[in-house]
């Protein structure tokens, strides 16, 4: 409890230490030099005593027009790549039940496949590759007998195997 109160007080102290005396420059592109703009942005951030975390929260609001569109696209591409890597590395944790693992996999697939273009095989692969080995082997032997298996079918079968 004391740790939470201390963290809250430190957060308030940090927020109060941030000033807005120096206006932050906008970046509009065109003939504006991006290096010069970044130097001016850094100077204003330092003068306002913003920490790195706050600086990265606000920097996206200062490019305007085409640079803003580019910034958002690059940021979204980076987020997509990070989520895709997370999906590739995701494994069922020790003691983690299939239901919880499946929920996490579904969420990651939904983020990566926002256009809903993935095949059921791709979704099943993403689900099964991180399953515990004993579940995965048993699941694949059942799925091989099914016509047009779906991710829902794979999850349901994995849950049944886990329960037995």
């Amino acid at each position: 409890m004391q740790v939470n109160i201390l963290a809250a007080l430190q957060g308030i102290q940090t927020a109060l230490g941030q000033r807005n005396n120096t206006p932050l420059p906008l970046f509009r592109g065109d003939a504006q030099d991006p290096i010069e703009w970044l130097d001016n942005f850094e100077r204003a951030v330092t003068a306002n005593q913003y920490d790195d975390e706050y600086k990265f929260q606000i920097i996206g609001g200062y490019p305007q027009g085409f640079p803003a569109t580019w910034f958002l696209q690059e940021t979204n591409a980076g987020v997509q790549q990070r989520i895709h890597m997370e999906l590739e590395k995701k494994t069922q944790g020790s003691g983690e039940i299939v239901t919880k693992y499946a929920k996490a996999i579904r969420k990651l697939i939904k983020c990566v496949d926002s256009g809903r273009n993935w095949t059921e095989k791709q979704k099943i692969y993403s689900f099964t590759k991180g399953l515990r080995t004993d579940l995965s082997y048993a699941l694949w032997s059942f799925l091989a007998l099914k016509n047009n298996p779906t991710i829902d079918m794979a999850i349901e079968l994995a849950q049944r195997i886990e329960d037995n």
Side-chain angles (χ1 to χ4, degrees):
M1 178 80 165
Q2 282 182 320
V3 174
N4 291 341
I5 293 171
L6 180 60
L9 289 173
Q10 287 172 337
I12 291 169
Q13 184 178 12
T14 300
L16 291 174
Q18 294 172 346
R19 299 178 302 184
N20 293 310
N21 296 336
T22 305
L24 298 172
L26 297 175
F27 183 72
R28 291 180 180 85
D30 299 326
Q32 191 176 6
D33 180 2
I35 304 300
E36 184 180 327
W37 171 81
L38 190 57
D39 287 343
N40 291 335
F41 185 86
E42 285 290 339
R43 276 194 291 284
V45 163
T46 301
N48 289 332
Q49 298 178 352
Y50 297 160
D51 60 16
D52 284 343
E53 183 179 344
Y54 185 70
K55 176 175 65 175
F56 288 118
Q57 288 175 1
I58 64 168
I59 194 168
Y62 290 91
Q64 302 291 306
F66 175 76
T69 303
W70 174 86
F71 182 82
L72 288 173
Q73 287 172 344
E74 288 302 308
T75 302
N76 289 340
V79 168
Q80 279 290 104
Q81 185 176 11
R82 182 183 55 77
I83 293 170
H84 199 278
M85 292 290 290
E86 189 176 335
L87 176 61
E88 287 298 313
K89 293 179 179 181
K90 180 69 177 159
T91 58
Q92 184 180 10
S94 176
E96 182 178 24
I97 62 171
V98 169
T99 304
K100 184 177 178 186
Y101 170 72
K103 183 176 181 180
I105 291 293
R106 281 183 190 272
K107 183 177 178 183
L108 291 169
I109 289 172
K110 186 175 182 180
C111 291
V112 171
D113 183 32
S114 58
R116 307 293 184 258
N117 298 318
W118 276 26
T119 65
E120 289 297 317
K121 283 185 178 183
Q122 288 173 298
K123 294 174 190 177
I124 290 169
Y125 171 76
S126 290
F127 172 68
T128 58
K129 73 173 180 45
L131 269 177
R132 288 191 338 245
T133 306
D134 60 319
L135 291 175
S136 183
Y137 285 143
L139 179 60
W140 276 113
S141 63
F142 282 113
L143 288 175
L145 301 173
K146 302 286 184 183
N147 289 330
N148 303 318
T150 65
I151 185 71
D152 294 332
M153 189 183 299
I155 292 169
E156 184 181 331
L157 285 169
Q159 289 168 331
R160 286 185 191 170
I161 294 167
E162 180 180 57
D163 290 341
N164 291 332

